[in-house]
Amino acid sequence: QKKPEPPILTVSVPGSKSITNRALLLATLAKGTSFLRGALFSDDSRYFLQCIQDLGFSVSVSEPEKAVQVTGLGGAVPKKEASIYVGSAGTAARFLTAYLGVAGGRFHLDSSDQMKKRPMAPLLSTLERLGTRIDYDGEPGFFPFTLTSSGPGQSVMHVNIDHSSQFLSALLIASCCFPDDVTIHVEGTHGMSYIAITTRMMADFGITVRQTAPDTFFIPGGQSYHPLDYQIEPDVSAACYFCLLY
């Protein structure tokens, strides 16, 4: 008996979670309205979306069309005092902590019990050295906490990324809040492929990063993020599940 031919299928591969959440923050920091297409709607991205709405940003979401519209204010936060809940979303936890720690204002951040066990101390220590006040509700270095700052301070910083490259990605993306050149010195090499994604996307939105040494990143001052009509790349690893069916 002749073996039946496999069916011809067209599959829409889900967007990348890493790129979706980076795009959300970049759109928030741009001055104007960005359209993000092909977004992934996971628990992490939904928490991220809720956080930026709780901060006062104008956000429009269409899950059936995999589209998000975000109006950014060029680095400013609409509300100067707010509370947000990041759930278990590591990118929301690290990215928004860096941004709110230098943006100016008073912000309380809380998380799920799972996220409360994950490391935050390297990023929080960096923010403290920049002049951000951090008041912990519980154990220092972990969620929940309140960030208070009057805006960006000194623009030379050090961060350890042995636990997570998200600490560096967070500071790189938030560098637009500083009026002058920013230099970031890094300890550790964990997850540098994700740093390459971050710097590429920053360039897409208008800010160039120069890696002047293996452990040093330099962001020239005077740059700003531009709103984009941005297509989020699919997650190639997710495509494997569909390939394995046949």
Side-chain angles (χ1 to χ4, degrees), residues 164-183:
S164 175
S165 65
Q166 290 175 354
F167 302 147
L168 176 55
S169 284
L171 293 168
L172 286 168
I173 294 173
S175 65
C176 72
C177 296
F178 292 78
D180 303 316
D181 298 344
V182 172
T183 301

Side-chain angles (χ1 to χ4, degrees), residues 17-147:
K17 180 177 74 172
S18 296
I19 294 178
T20 295
N21 287 349
R22 282 166 173 76
L24 285 173
L25 183 57
L26 290 163
T28 300
L29 291 166
K31 189 171 181 61
T33 300
S34 294
F35 298 89
L36 310 178
R37 307 184 190 279
L40 175 69
F41 290 97
S42 62
D43 285 347
D44 282 13
S45 59
R46 290 189 180 97
Y47 279 124
F48 209 126
L49 282 163
Q50 187 60 57
C51 284
I52 62 177
Q53 290 178 81
D54 290 342
L55 291 169
F57 288 97
S58 175
V59 178
S60 177
V61 177
S62 174
E63 290 202 19
E65 296 180 359
K66 301 181 178 64
V68 180
Q69 178 180 313
V70 180
T71 301
L73 300 176
V77 184
K79 296 181 179 180
K80 292 303 179 184
E81 187 166 345
S83 295
I84 61 173
Y85 181 79
V86 301
S88 298
T91 46
R94 279 68 181 262
F95 290 1
L96 291 172
T97 294
Y99 170 34
L100 297 176
V102 299
R106 180 177 173 83
F107 304 100
H108 184 261
L109 287 78
D110 201 354
S111 72
S112 68
D113 288 342
Q114 179 186 9
M115 189 66 217
K116 288 174 183 174
K117 300 174 184 177
R118 295 172 65 182
M120 288 291 295
L123 177 58
L124 293 168
S125 296
T126 298
L127 292 174
E128 284 185 306
R129 290 192 294 269
L130 294 175
T132 304
R133 174 179 168 179
I134 304 174
D135 296 302
Y136 295 100
D137 292 3
E139 184 179 353
F142 295 89
F143 280 96
F145 48 78
T146 299
L147 304 171

